[in-house]
Amino acid sequence: MFLTAQEGILGPFAWVLGKLLDFIYNVLANGDGIANLGLCIIIFTIVVKIIIFPFTFHQQKSSKINMLIQPEIQKIQKKYKDKKDQESMLKQQQEMQEVYNKYGTSMTSGCLPNLIQLPIIYALYRVIQNIPAYVGKVYDMYSPIAQSIIDSKGGKVQEFLVDFVDTNKISGASTAINKIKDLTELSLNNVIDVISNFGVSHFNILLETLGLTGDAALTNQIDKIDQIHSFILGINISEAPGYKLSWALIIPISSTIFQYLSMKVSMGKQQQADPASNTTMKMMMITMPLMSLFLCISLPAGIGIYWSVSALFSLISQLAINFYYDHADMDAILEKQMAKAAAKREKKGDKKSFMERMMEQSQEAQEELEKREAMRKNAASSLKNCLLYTS
């Protein structure tokens, strides 16, 4: 098992996505074992985004329906605007829930598809970040180099890698280094986890440090690694763009622009429906792209390609969804949604939803509280009368 291959609850998702990336690589390699990883990442990201698009569409549909029923919700909120007692607040929640039930939606229905997508998105990121752990032919390119380190340093492999990464300031390998620090013995896979974050320049320094500069077999493997990581305009996707002027800065810049436009398009309609959240949304539209810019500059360009393509796909899909709903008969969609919700309620019968059960429990708790308060007041009044009488 690879040290950095995803385990736990995300493990199965990463395994499936890893198999997909391995398949794409082998198709592009066309038998010679060499394929451009930048192109693989682009195709891989698009395929996965297409797979999860139904969840995105459902989320947008739920958000659109919630926007359309806002007048009914706001009418209820206006009705209880100046009533802050517990009973009135519970009634307000119950009436709002009835509206949501009528249309078969809820306040959080737009969030559920996003929650479903999260394991896939996190696993997708882990696969992109650790390609040798999932693509066999890429692993085979790193294996001889890792073995040469083990053979040269023996029991001091861990110490050597920590010093090498620190001396050459290889920031991309810091996570892998931190994970091996507590290990008593490193396996071949552990070493690959570290060196897979090296750029070609780092490998040349590595061979020189080990005294293996003239090793033709290792030099050939490094040339293959260089080939699969070479992207357009001479960009090496295994290296971070950094804070220097180069063509590699196109990747973090494009990621920032696409993410900003995607968020602007997706949040534009919501701003009209919920003016109170405008400030928060505007802050997110600024901070999230800036965070993307910083991370894509600091992390290997391959991660930036994934984020750029993902943001571009989100932008295009959001424009397509907006176009669809802007030209759709929303009255017909609402009627269909109401009929579907009614059929679901009929099928469910007397079985109540989680939200309805919570509201009933709150109502019962409130009634019990009021009953105890009334009893306390009656007892206090009786005690007072008794004292007056005895005096």
Short mmCIF file of all heavy atoms in Angstrom, two decimals, residues 56 59-60 63-64 67 114 258-272 281 284-285 311 314-319 321-322:
data_model
loop_
_atom_site.label_atom_id
_atom_site.label_comp_id
_atom_site.label_asym_id
_atom_site.label_seq_id
_atom_site.Cartn_x
_atom_site.Cartn_y
_atom_site.Cartn_z
N THR A 56 -24.74 18.36 -9.80
CA THR A 56 -24.69 19.82 -9.94
C THR A 56 -26.00 20.35 -10.49
O THR A 56 -26.52 21.37 -10.00
CB THR A 56 -23.54 20.21 -10.89
OG1 THR A 56 -22.32 19.67 -10.40
CG2 THR A 56 -23.42 21.73 -10.99
N GLN A 59 -28.67 20.30 -7.85
CA GLN A 59 -28.45 21.35 -6.88
C GLN A 59 -28.95 22.69 -7.41
O GLN A 59 -29.58 23.47 -6.70
CB GLN A 59 -26.96 21.43 -6.53
CG GLN A 59 -26.63 22.41 -5.41
CD GLN A 59 -26.24 23.78 -5.91
OE1 GLN A 59 -25.80 23.93 -7.05
NE2 GLN A 59 -26.40 24.78 -5.07
N GLN A 60 -28.67 22.96 -8.68
CA GLN A 60 -29.13 24.21 -9.29
C GLN A 60 -30.65 24.24 -9.42
O GLN A 60 -31.27 25.29 -9.24
CB GLN A 60 -28.48 24.37 -10.68
CG GLN A 60 -26.99 24.62 -10.63
CD GLN A 60 -26.66 25.92 -9.94
OE1 GLN A 60 -27.37 26.91 -10.09
NE2 GLN A 60 -25.58 25.94 -9.18
N SER A 63 -32.01 25.05 -5.99
CA SER A 63 -31.79 26.47 -5.69
C SER A 63 -32.76 27.35 -6.46
O SER A 63 -33.29 28.33 -5.92
CB SER A 63 -30.35 26.86 -6.04
OG SER A 63 -29.43 26.13 -5.26
N LYS A 64 -33.03 26.98 -7.72
CA LYS A 64 -33.94 27.76 -8.55
C LYS A 64 -35.36 27.71 -7.98
O LYS A 64 -36.06 28.72 -7.91
CB LYS A 64 -33.93 27.21 -9.97
CG LYS A 64 -34.60 28.11 -11.00
CD LYS A 64 -33.76 29.33 -11.27
CE LYS A 64 -34.34 30.18 -12.39
NZ LYS A 64 -33.53 31.38 -12.66
N MET A 67 -35.68 29.81 -4.94
CA MET A 67 -35.76 31.23 -5.30
C MET A 67 -37.19 31.60 -5.71
O MET A 67 -37.71 32.66 -5.35
CB MET A 67 -34.80 31.54 -6.45
CG MET A 67 -33.34 31.59 -6.04
SD MET A 67 -32.23 31.69 -7.47
CE MET A 67 -32.87 33.17 -8.26
N ASN A 114 -24.13 18.91 -3.06
CA ASN A 114 -22.74 19.31 -2.79
C ASN A 114 -22.08 18.38 -1.80
O ASN A 114 -20.90 18.03 -1.94
CB ASN A 114 -22.70 20.75 -2.26
CG ASN A 114 -22.95 21.77 -3.36
OD1 ASN A 114 -22.71 21.51 -4.52
ND2 ASN A 114 -23.44 22.93 -2.98
N PHE A 258 -11.06 31.91 -13.98
CA PHE A 258 -12.18 30.99 -14.20
C PHE A 258 -13.00 30.78 -12.93
O PHE A 258 -14.24 30.71 -12.97
CB PHE A 258 -11.67 29.64 -14.72
CG PHE A 258 -11.09 29.69 -16.10
CD1 PHE A 258 -10.06 28.84 -16.47
CD2 PHE A 258 -11.58 30.59 -17.04
CE1 PHE A 258 -9.51 28.90 -17.74
CE2 PHE A 258 -11.03 30.66 -18.32
CZ PHE A 258 -10.00 29.80 -18.67
N GLN A 259 -12.32 30.71 -11.79
CA GLN A 259 -13.05 30.52 -10.54
C GLN A 259 -13.87 31.75 -10.20
O GLN A 259 -15.02 31.63 -9.75
CB GLN A 259 -12.09 30.20 -9.40
CG GLN A 259 -12.82 29.84 -8.10
CD GLN A 259 -11.89 29.24 -7.06
OE1 GLN A 259 -10.74 29.60 -6.99
NE2 GLN A 259 -12.41 28.33 -6.24
N TYR A 260 -13.31 32.91 -10.41
CA TYR A 260 -14.05 34.15 -10.14
C TYR A 260 -15.30 34.24 -11.03
O TYR A 260 -16.40 34.53 -10.54
CB TYR A 260 -13.16 35.36 -10.38
CG TYR A 260 -13.91 36.68 -10.30
CD1 TYR A 260 -14.25 37.23 -9.07
CD2 TYR A 260 -14.31 37.35 -11.46
CE1 TYR A 260 -14.95 38.43 -8.99
CE2 TYR A 260 -15.02 38.54 -11.39
CZ TYR A 260 -15.33 39.08 -10.16
OH TYR A 260 -16.05 40.25 -10.09
N LEU A 261 -15.13 33.98 -12.32
CA LEU A 261 -16.26 34.06 -13.25
C LEU A 261 -17.32 33.01 -12.92
O LEU A 261 -18.52 33.28 -13.00
CB LEU A 261 -15.77 33.89 -14.69
CG LEU A 261 -14.90 35.03 -15.24
CD1 LEU A 261 -14.40 34.67 -16.64
CD2 LEU A 261 -15.68 36.34 -15.26
N SER A 262 -16.86 31.81 -12.56
CA SER A 262 -17.79 30.74 -12.20
C SER A 262 -18.62 31.12 -10.98
O SER A 262 -19.85 30.93 -10.96
CB SER A 262 -17.03 29.45 -11.94
OG SER A 262 -17.89 28.42 -11.54
N MET A 263 -17.97 31.68 -9.96
CA MET A 263 -18.68 32.09 -8.75
C MET A 263 -19.61 33.27 -9.04
O MET A 263 -20.72 33.33 -8.51
CB MET A 263 -17.69 32.46 -7.65
CG MET A 263 -16.86 31.29 -7.15
SD MET A 263 -15.71 31.73 -5.83
CE MET A 263 -16.87 32.05 -4.50
N LYS A 264 -19.17 34.18 -9.88
CA LYS A 264 -19.99 35.34 -10.22
C LYS A 264 -21.27 34.91 -10.94
O LYS A 264 -22.37 35.40 -10.65
CB LYS A 264 -19.19 36.30 -11.09
CG LYS A 264 -19.93 37.61 -11.42
CD LYS A 264 -19.04 38.55 -12.20
CE LYS A 264 -19.78 39.84 -12.55
NZ LYS A 264 -20.16 40.60 -11.33
N VAL A 265 -21.12 33.98 -11.88
CA VAL A 265 -22.28 33.50 -12.64
C VAL A 265 -23.24 32.72 -11.73
O VAL A 265 -24.46 32.88 -11.81
CB VAL A 265 -21.82 32.60 -13.81
CG1 VAL A 265 -23.02 31.90 -14.45
CG2 VAL A 265 -21.11 33.45 -14.86
N SER A 266 -22.69 31.87 -10.86
CA SER A 266 -23.54 31.04 -10.00
C SER A 266 -24.20 31.84 -8.89
O SER A 266 -25.31 31.53 -8.46
CB SER A 266 -22.74 29.89 -9.40
OG SER A 266 -21.73 30.39 -8.55
N MET A 267 -23.56 32.89 -8.40
CA MET A 267 -24.09 33.67 -7.29
C MET A 267 -24.92 34.86 -7.73
O MET A 267 -25.64 35.45 -6.92
CB MET A 267 -22.95 34.17 -6.39
CG MET A 267 -22.25 33.09 -5.63
SD MET A 267 -20.96 33.76 -4.54
CE MET A 267 -20.44 32.27 -3.69
N GLY A 268 -24.84 35.21 -8.99
CA GLY A 268 -25.55 36.40 -9.46
C GLY A 268 -27.03 36.37 -9.19
O GLY A 268 -27.62 37.32 -8.67
N LYS A 269 -27.68 35.25 -9.51
CA LYS A 269 -29.12 35.12 -9.31
C LYS A 269 -29.46 35.07 -7.83
O LYS A 269 -30.48 35.60 -7.40
CB LYS A 269 -29.61 33.83 -9.99
CG LYS A 269 -29.34 33.80 -11.50
CD LYS A 269 -30.22 34.78 -12.24
CE LYS A 269 -30.02 34.67 -13.75
NZ LYS A 269 -30.88 35.63 -14.48
N GLN A 270 -28.61 34.41 -7.03
CA GLN A 270 -28.89 34.30 -5.60
C GLN A 270 -28.83 35.65 -4.91
O GLN A 270 -29.54 35.88 -3.95
CB GLN A 270 -27.88 33.35 -4.96
CG GLN A 270 -27.95 31.92 -5.48
CD GLN A 270 -26.92 31.03 -4.84
OE1 GLN A 270 -26.55 31.21 -3.69
NE2 GLN A 270 -26.45 30.04 -5.58
N GLN A 271 -28.02 36.55 -5.42
CA GLN A 271 -27.91 37.86 -4.81
C GLN A 271 -29.24 38.60 -4.89
O GLN A 271 -29.61 39.32 -3.98
CB GLN A 271 -26.82 38.67 -5.50
CG GLN A 271 -25.42 38.17 -5.17
CD GLN A 271 -24.35 38.95 -5.90
OE1 GLN A 271 -24.49 39.31 -7.07
NE2 GLN A 271 -23.26 39.22 -5.22
N GLN A 272 -29.96 38.45 -5.97
CA GLN A 272 -31.24 39.11 -6.12
C GLN A 272 -32.28 38.53 -5.18
O GLN A 272 -33.13 39.22 -4.67
CB GLN A 272 -31.74 38.98 -7.57
CG GLN A 272 -30.82 39.64 -8.58
CD GLN A 272 -31.26 39.38 -10.00
OE1 GLN A 272 -32.39 38.95 -10.25
NE2 GLN A 272 -30.39 39.65 -10.95
N MET A 281 -21.31 36.94 0.08
CA MET A 281 -21.05 36.40 -1.25
C MET A 281 -19.95 37.17 -1.96
O MET A 281 -19.08 36.58 -2.61
CB MET A 281 -22.33 36.42 -2.08
CG MET A 281 -23.36 35.39 -1.68
SD MET A 281 -24.80 35.41 -2.77
CE MET A 281 -25.70 33.99 -2.16
N MET A 284 -16.64 36.16 -0.61
CA MET A 284 -16.25 34.85 -1.12
C MET A 284 -15.76 34.94 -2.56
O MET A 284 -14.80 34.25 -2.95
CB MET A 284 -17.43 33.87 -1.04
CG MET A 284 -17.78 33.43 0.36
SD MET A 284 -19.19 32.29 0.39
CE MET A 284 -18.55 30.93 -0.59
N MET A 285 -16.40 35.80 -3.36
CA MET A 285 -16.01 35.97 -4.75
C MET A 285 -14.61 36.56 -4.89
O MET A 285 -13.98 36.43 -5.93
CB MET A 285 -17.03 36.85 -5.49
CG MET A 285 -18.35 36.16 -5.77
SD MET A 285 -19.57 37.27 -6.50
CE MET A 285 -18.73 37.73 -8.02
N ALA A 311 -12.54 24.69 -12.79
CA ALA A 311 -13.24 25.98 -12.71
C ALA A 311 -13.83 26.36 -14.07
O ALA A 311 -14.95 26.89 -14.14
CB ALA A 311 -12.28 27.07 -12.23
N SER A 314 -16.91 24.27 -14.61
CA SER A 314 -17.99 24.78 -13.76
C SER A 314 -18.60 26.03 -14.36
O SER A 314 -19.83 26.22 -14.34
CB SER A 314 -17.47 25.08 -12.35
OG SER A 314 -17.02 23.90 -11.72
N LEU A 315 -17.76 26.90 -14.92
CA LEU A 315 -18.25 28.13 -15.55
C LEU A 315 -19.13 27.81 -16.74
O LEU A 315 -20.25 28.35 -16.87
CB LEU A 315 -17.06 29.00 -15.98
CG LEU A 315 -17.38 30.23 -16.83
CD1 LEU A 315 -18.29 31.19 -16.07
CD2 LEU A 315 -16.09 30.92 -17.27
N ILE A 316 -18.66 26.93 -17.61
CA ILE A 316 -19.42 26.58 -18.82
C ILE A 316 -20.74 25.90 -18.45
O ILE A 316 -21.80 26.21 -19.00
CB ILE A 316 -18.58 25.69 -19.75
CG1 ILE A 316 -17.37 26.47 -20.28
CG2 ILE A 316 -19.42 25.17 -20.91
CD1 ILE A 316 -16.39 25.61 -21.06
N SER A 317 -20.68 24.96 -17.51
CA SER A 317 -21.90 24.24 -17.11
C SER A 317 -22.89 25.17 -16.44
O SER A 317 -24.10 25.06 -16.63
CB SER A 317 -21.55 23.07 -16.19
OG SER A 317 -20.93 23.52 -15.00
N GLN A 318 -22.38 26.13 -15.65
CA GLN A 318 -23.26 27.08 -14.98
C GLN A 318 -23.95 27.98 -16.00
O GLN A 318 -25.15 28.28 -15.88
CB GLN A 318 -22.47 27.93 -14.00
CG GLN A 318 -23.33 28.84 -13.13
CD GLN A 318 -24.26 28.07 -12.22
OE1 GLN A 318 -23.80 27.27 -11.41
NE2 GLN A 318 -25.55 28.28 -12.36
N LEU A 319 -23.22 28.42 -17.01
CA LEU A 319 -23.82 29.23 -18.08
C LEU A 319 -24.90 28.43 -18.81
O LEU A 319 -25.97 28.97 -19.15
CB LEU A 319 -22.74 29.69 -19.06
CG LEU A 319 -21.77 30.77 -18.55
CD1 LEU A 319 -20.63 30.96 -19.53
CD2 LEU A 319 -22.51 32.10 -18.34
N ILE A 321 -26.66 25.88 -17.60
CA ILE A 321 -27.80 25.69 -16.70
C ILE A 321 -28.63 26.96 -16.61
O ILE A 321 -29.87 26.92 -16.66
CB ILE A 321 -27.31 25.25 -15.30
CG1 ILE A 321 -26.74 23.84 -15.35
CG2 ILE A 321 -28.45 25.32 -14.27
CD1 ILE A 321 -26.05 23.40 -14.08
N ASN A 322 -27.95 28.11 -16.48
CA ASN A 322 -28.67 29.38 -16.43
C ASN A 322 -29.46 29.62 -17.72
O ASN A 322 -30.61 30.09 -17.68
CB ASN A 322 -27.69 30.53 -16.21
CG ASN A 322 -27.18 30.59 -14.78
OD1 ASN A 322 -27.63 29.83 -13.92
ND2 ASN A 322 -26.23 31.46 -14.53
#
